[in-house]
Amino acid sequence: MNAKTLPTRRLLVVCHHRDRQTAHFEGAKSCVHYYRQKCNRRRTTKAEARARASPQSSNPFTDALPYPTIVPSRKEWKKTFTTNDGVKYTCRACDVDDIPAVASLLMRSKLAGFPTEESKLKKYIEKSINAFPRGAYIVLVKDDEEEEEKSKKCVGVVGVSNTPETRRGDFDRALQFTDDGGYISDLVIDTRWRGRGLGEKLMLCGESLCKEMGREEVYLHVSTRKVGVIRLYENIGYEERSSNFLRRDLLMRKKI
């Protein structure tokens, strides 16, 4: 049979629309053109995703919040408080001698995002020391003259970040937040000292550092599985800002 006498073959193209119906086309030009545009579409960068998801002010040309000209010193910055049982505690910036105790707390907490090897984790903590006050680990120390070793006195730690450069930026698009805000993470209290309200006190100390750096809001991420931790954050003024249902994570915010 001559090719000219062959009947015109109908090309069946299956296009997946929202209603998942199949569409029959005499030619596939329009459908192919649609999928070529979809495949060639440029992916959104992390910076663009952060700009879209971050809460913007009414004036898009407003400059970011400036940092104070006089910033706190790492060796002089500290906060003290006394619990109801009469025990005195001090919150201060992490020092070189605190690295083993802080690394031990973070390793035992099994928080995500840290190096699995203790040696690499110690180097990670050591880099944060010189970043104060833009970023730091704040340690909670029990004031006890009988104990001389700092590793025995460190009962808690929390991470504080006041700049985008001092925080991990691999956040999901739905959990992005403005660069003008402070960020608190990695809250860990030694299991032997839990149930005494130390987590709340340590959080407030971290917020005070953000406030001294001119930040007006503080953000944090928390898993929806940690119901008790979420209740703690709500008790000190944090509110849910956004969430990722698939990852079961929340973005919470507090104005300071």
Side-chain angles (χ1 to χ4, degrees), residues 78-89:
K78 66 178 181 179
K79 307 291 180 181
T80 60
F81 63 90
T82 303
T83 56
N84 296 331
D85 54 359
V87 181
K88 186 178 180 180
Y89 297 87

Side-chain angles (χ1 to χ4, degrees), residues 40-162:
N40 295 333
R41 189 178 302 164
R42 186 174 62 87
R43 292 186 177 181
T44 305
T45 62
K46 289 185 178 180
E48 292 173 343
R50 174 178 294 182
R52 293 179 182 178
S54 300
Q56 301 293 336
S57 60
S58 58
N59 184 3
F61 301 101
T62 302
D63 294 333
L65 286 175
Y67 296 101
T69 55
I70 301 177
V71 297
S73 172
R74 178 175 62 85
K75 294 183 179 181
E76 297 178 357
W77 187 91
K78 66 178 181 179
K79 307 291 180 181
T80 60
F81 63 90
T82 303
T83 56
N84 296 331
D85 54 359
V87 181
K88 186 178 180 180
Y89 297 87
T90 300
C91 294
R92 55 174 175 79
C94 176
D95 202 354
V96 177
D97 297 334
D98 300 313
I99 293 179
V102 173
S104 176
L105 286 173
L106 295 177
M107 290 287 290
R108 284 181 291 169
S109 67
K110 298 181 180 180
L111 292 173
F114 289 107
T116 55
E117 299 180 7
E118 188 174 358
S119 59
K120 294 182 179 180
L121 179 58
K122 289 182 178 180
K123 293 180 179 179
Y124 175 81
I125 300 172
E126 184 178 0
K127 292 180 180 179
S128 68
I129 295 178
N130 295 329
F132 187 93
R134 297 180 180 270
Y137 274 109
I138 306 300
V139 295
L140 177 62
V141 179
K142 178 179 177 291
D143 294 341
D144 192 345
E145 297 179 355
E146 297 179 359
E147 295 181 355
E148 298 180 356
E149 296 183 13
K150 288 186 177 181
S151 59
K152 294 182 180 180
K153 298 168 63 177
C154 182
V155 299
V157 63
V158 67
V160 180
S161 171
N162 292 304

Side-chain angles (χ1 to χ4, degrees), residues 170-185:
D170 54 344
F171 304 127
D172 183 79
R173 177 175 178 178
L175 303 177
Q176 299 283 352
F177 55 93
T178 175
D179 293 340
D180 289 341
Y183 181 68
I184 292 184
S185 62

Side-chain angles (χ1 to χ4, degrees), residues 15-32:
C15 298
H16 294 278
H17 299 286
R18 289 184 178 179
D19 52 2
R20 296 186 179 277
Q21 293 180 349
T22 58
H24 297 266
F25 294 90
E26 182 69 23
K29 293 183 179 180
S30 60
C31 189
V32 171

